[in-house]
């Protein structure tokens, strides 16, 4: 049990959880916010280059955060082992990011600055993020662009040769650097090349098609991981001085999401069950610009980049149930509702606001398409104003992708879009150094909770991943390793064997069920339940309904799941079952977190807490804190630890984008 879990001080939420001791981030320097990262870098202890060769680091995940961290630590001289379940690090989900990466370069000279990016991010997250971490992110953004340009990332450029930028939601400046609609791919290739350079140098070992199944904790410290080779089924252990999780988010708990099908929560969840607190699990992001669901056969959703809202205009017919061809609907019969409701930001309001606005239009029977769950994203005005060649230069690959999926030509007919699960702001709790509550376990990128509050601004995910990987973790991990050498952990250590036995026992239990339902059928039912009750809108009644159903669904899963094949080789059914079992447990914590937070903030919208005009209504007096949850054991109530949020530089106000 974690040291944080002392005697409970109260029982809350009708017995669904226990209130534990408060938690605090004690590593951010007590200095002016603009100096904190510089002060922390200077105070961080160093490791002699000769000693680094004696130290080992495990990095789980090869997306932007993981690849950048492994490459940078390898270049520093540490011995690094890098793990991914894909067949190549290049296939990490970061490659799917489309629209761009933020940086406060102010190349457009339109009033941008580090402080403005900091302010926009805190406000965009509805004042539920930590000021220290967000300001560091804004600072480091300047270095990220320089790093990536030096690697050869082909950012778009203006005619003069200067890097081009565009706007994203929640801002009134143009700070998003991009490579057409392939920004994530190009950035990941840059990080991958840096990683492969270290592989060639002998400082990094890459283990593809290898999935982490458990965390090895020895004497209270993270010292390794248990893995399964997805080709052979072999379980193995890897030991090190420090473990870094950069394993992404948990959006696939909803089954339908814009995430890659393999994206999962297993690495983070198994670390949570070993003692790492899980923060703000109910903070999930709904992206407003997704191709609508087309049928029950669908297994994932496709994102259309937020960058499209630079030039595309969002509208619905003014008349309910109007099913005419969009080109036959005259201008005066169209409702450009974002421009009408939010004149200051128009189509570039933040994602949570744009998503709820689209849902409200569809709920009011103004939706379009066969299901009525869609709104139009129209480029007619942009094509007339800029010309088709200019629009093709900006968005050509996105338009082509849309046409291939839907069969509609967006140059001739408006796109149809609808909100979908895209990103998760919750994750393992970390302090300013990105240390979890387990010593020796660091967490980077989307796997931690630290930078985005209750809503992530567009183009900030790539920024956080590269910030953590290239600039933050190499400094803070070194500070931790300055306490080395640590005692060597033998392979036959009881903690190592216990972790292996736990992983093997879980696999054997899954294989022995021999039930009647497929893994996907359980996952689809779980996803629909969580989407309905803990998706775009949440209510006390709906969340309690979900919490009443989830334990029995989990029992049915373990009793009636059908997994073909064995555990001794390639078995995707077994892979998915392992991951869905963790999603079942995570979903319950998400709903408990959403139920206890009786306010609306960002992507967490409680229908009982809204303003007269339907906007999110925060309750700063009672809920201005990070909710960090402790695992108390199977079938035990989770323990809530609160980290109070302090705002000294950005005063919380009711968000307005009007």
């Amino acid at each position: 049990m974690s040291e944080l879990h002392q005697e409970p001080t109260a029982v809350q939420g009708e017995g669904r959880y226990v209130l534990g001791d408060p938690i605090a981030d004690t590593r951010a320097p007590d200095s002016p916010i603009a100096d904190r990262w510089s002060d922390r870098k200077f105070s961080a202890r160093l490791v002699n280059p000769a000693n680094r060769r004696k130290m080992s680091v495990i990095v789980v995940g090869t997306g932007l955060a993981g690849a950048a961290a492994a490459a940078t630590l390898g270049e520093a001289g540490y011995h690094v082992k890098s793990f991914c379940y894909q067949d190549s690090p290049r296939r990490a989900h970061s490659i799917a990011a489309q629209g761009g990466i933020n940086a406060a370069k102010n190349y457009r000279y339109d009033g941008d600055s580090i402080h403005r990016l900091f302010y926009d991010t805190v406000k965009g997250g509805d004042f539920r993020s930590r000021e220290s971490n967000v300001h560091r992110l804004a600072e480091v953004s300047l270095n990220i662009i320089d790093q990536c340009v030096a690697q050869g990332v082909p950012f778009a450029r203006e005619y003069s040769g200067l890097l081009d930028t565009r706007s994203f939601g929640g801002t009134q400046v143009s700070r998003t650097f991009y490579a057409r609609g392939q920004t994530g791919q190009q950035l990941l290739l840059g990080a991958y090349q840096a990683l492969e350079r270290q592989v060639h140098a002998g400082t990094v070992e890459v283990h593809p098609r290898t999935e982490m199944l458990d965390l090895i904790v020895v004497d209270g410290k993270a010292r390794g991981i248990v893995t399964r080779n997805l080709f052979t089924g072999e379980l193995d252990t890897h030991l090190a001085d420090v473990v870094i999780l950069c394993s992404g988010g948990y959006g696939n708990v909803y089954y339908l999401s814009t995430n890659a099908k393999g994206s999962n929560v297993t690495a983070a969840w198994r670390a949570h069950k070993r003692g790492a607190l899980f923060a703000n699990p109910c903070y999930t992001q709904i992206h407003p610009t997704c191709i609508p669901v087309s049928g029950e056969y669908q297994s994932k959703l496709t994102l259309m980049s937020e960058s499209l809202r630079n030039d595309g205009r969002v509208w619905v017919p003014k008349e309910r149930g109007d099913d005419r061809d969009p080109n036959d609907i005259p201008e005066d019969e169209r409702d450009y509702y974002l421009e009408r409701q939010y004149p200051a930001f128009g189509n570039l309001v933040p994602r949570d606001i744009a998503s709820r606005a689209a849902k409200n239009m569809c709920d009011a029977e103004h939706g379009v398409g066969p299901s009525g769950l869609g709104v139009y994203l129209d480029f007619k005005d942009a094509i007339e104003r800029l010309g088709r060649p200019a629009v093709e230069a900006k968005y050509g690959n996105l338009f082509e992708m849309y046409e291939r999926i839907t069969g509609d030509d967006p140059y001739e007919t408006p796109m149809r879009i609808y909100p979908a699960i895209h990103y998760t702001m919750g994750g393992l709790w970390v302090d300013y150094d990105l240390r979890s509550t387990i010593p020796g376990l660091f967490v980077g990128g989307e796997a931690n909770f630290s930078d985005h509050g209750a809503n992530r601004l567009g183009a900030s995910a790539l920024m956080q991943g590269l910030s953590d990987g290239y600039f933050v973790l190499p400094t803070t991990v070194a500070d931790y390793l300055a306490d080395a050498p640590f005692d060597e952990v033998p392979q036959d250590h009881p903690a190592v064997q216990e972790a292996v036995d736990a992983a093997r026992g879980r696999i054997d239990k899954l294989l022995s069920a021999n039930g009647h339902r497929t893994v996907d059928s359980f996952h689809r039912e779980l996803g629909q339940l969580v989407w309905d009750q803990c998706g775009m809108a949440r209510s006390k009644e709906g969340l309690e309904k979900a919490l009443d159903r989830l334990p029995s669904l989990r029992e049915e899963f373990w009793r009636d799941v059908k997994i073909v094949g064995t555990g001794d080789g390639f078995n995707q059914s077994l892979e998915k079952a392992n991951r869905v079992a963790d999603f079942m447990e995570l979903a319950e914590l998400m709903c408990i977190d959403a139920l206890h937070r009786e306010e609306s903030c960002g992507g967490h919208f409680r229908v009982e807490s809204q303003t007269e005009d339907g906007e999110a209504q925060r309750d700063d007096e009672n809920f201005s804190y990070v909710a960090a949850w402790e695992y108390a054991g199977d079938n035990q109530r989770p323990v809530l630890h609160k980290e109070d949020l302090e705002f000294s530089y950005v005063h919380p106000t009711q968000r307005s984008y009007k």
Side-chain angles (χ1 to χ4, degrees), residues 47-222:
V47 178
N48 184 298
N51 290 336
R52 296 175 200 164
R53 293 190 292 272
K54 306 172 187 176
M55 299 176 182
S56 55
V57 179
I58 285 173
V59 181
V60 179
T62 57
L64 289 181
T72 307
L73 290 166
E75 188 167 14
Y78 300 100
H79 179 64
V80 180
K81 287 186 177 182
S82 170
F83 295 85
C84 65
Y85 66 79
Q86 298 91 347
D87 56 3
S88 166
R90 291 180 299 146
R91 295 178 65 85
H93 184 57
S94 296
I95 205 166
Q98 297 170 348
I101 176 171
N102 288 329
K105 287 285 197 181
N106 196 28
Y107 282 175
R108 291 290 182 92
Y109 202 66
D110 54 0
D112 201 11
S113 64
I114 290 173
H115 187 80
R116 187 174 296 279
L117 176 53
F118 161 63
Y119 172 84
D120 286 346
T121 304
V122 173
K123 177 184 176 184
D126 216 351
F127 304 96
R128 289 295 176 262
S129 54
R130 213 190 263 152
E131 281 192 331
S132 296
N133 292 64
V134 176
H135 196 279
R136 175 175 64 193
L137 180 65
E139 283 182 68
V140 172
S141 72
L142 306 180
N143 306 112
I144 293 171
I145 301 301
D146 295 340
Q147 169 93 0
C148 295
V149 169
Q151 289 176 334
V153 173
F155 286 119
R157 294 180 181 268
E158 296 178 339
Y159 179 76
S160 65
L162 190 68
L163 295 182
D164 197 9
T165 57
R166 53 193 178 198
S167 297
F168 262 57
T171 71
Q172 291 178 304
V173 297
S174 182
R175 65 162 67 102
T176 303
F177 296 79
Y178 65 98
R180 297 188 75 193
Q182 307 170 349
T183 312
Q185 178 180 0
Q186 300 303 331
L187 291 172
L188 185 61
L189 289 175
Y192 173 70
Q193 290 174 135
L195 179 65
E196 287 301 304
R197 179 171 176 267
Q198 295 309 310
V199 172
H200 180 73
T203 63
V204 176
E205 297 177 20
V206 175
H207 296 261
R209 300 299 292 169
T210 305
E211 184 164 26
M212 172 181 163
L213 294 185
D214 211 341
L215 181 72
I216 296 171
V217 180
V218 179
D219 297 330
K221 295 180 179 179

Side-chain angles (χ1 to χ4, degrees), residues 288-301:
T289 317
C290 179
I291 298 177
V293 176
S294 56
E296 292 186 358
Y297 58 84
Q298 210 160 338
S299 63
K300 79 174 301 292
L301 299 174

Side-chain angles (χ1 to χ4, degrees), residues 155-157 164 166 178-182 307-308 311 383 386-399 411:
F155 286 119
R157 294 180 181 268
D164 197 9
R166 53 193 178 198
Y178 65 98
R180 297 188 75 193
Q182 307 170 349
S307 64
L308 293 170
D311 293 302
I383 293 171
L386 303 171
R388 177 165 172 163
V391 174
E392 286 180 338
K394 282 186 175 181
Y395 310 115
N397 62 311
L398 296 171
F399 278 38
Y411 294 105

Side-chain angles (χ1 to χ4, degrees), residues 316-323 333 360-361 363-367:
V316 293
K318 289 183 178 179
E319 182 181 341
R320 292 183 179 181
D322 189 340
D323 59 359
E333 296 181 30
N360 291 340
M361 288 293 116
D363 289 348
E365 300 180 8
H366 292 279

Side-chain angles (χ1 to χ4, degrees), residues 51 135 216 266 291 302 308 405 487 529 556 612 635:
N51 290 336
H135 196 279
I216 296 171
T266 291
I291 298 177
T302 303
L308 293 170
I405 292 171
D487 292 339
L529 176 65
E556 290 172 26
E612 291 182 358
N635 301 314

Side-chain angles (χ1 to χ4, degrees), residues 422-437:
H422 177 59
Y423 189 88
T424 53
M425 286 76 66
L428 294 182
W429 186 92
V430 292
D431 61 16
Y432 190 65
D433 280 4
L434 305 187
R435 298 190 189 199
S436 74
T437 47

Side-chain angles (χ1 to χ4, degrees), residues 116-127 168-173 175 306 309 337-354 356 452 454-458 602 613 615-616 618 650 653-658:
R116 187 174 296 279
L117 176 53
F118 161 63
Y119 172 84
D120 286 346
T121 304
V122 173
K123 177 184 176 184
D126 216 351
F127 304 96
F168 262 57
T171 71
Q172 291 178 304
V173 297
R175 65 162 67 102
E306 183 173 314
R309 289 196 277 146
Y337 59 90
L338 292 179
E339 298 172 30
R340 171 175 56 83
Q341 296 175 2
Y342 307 100
F345 284 75
N347 295 297
L348 285 172
V349 292
R351 292 175 175 178
D352 59 319
I353 291 176
R356 280 197 295 274
H452 306 296
N455 173 65
R456 178 176 67 76
L457 290 183
D613 53 356
E615 302 291 354
R618 291 196 325 272
V650 180
T653 59
Q654 176 65 36
R655 280 198 308 168
S656 175
Y657 293 92
K658 298 182 178 181

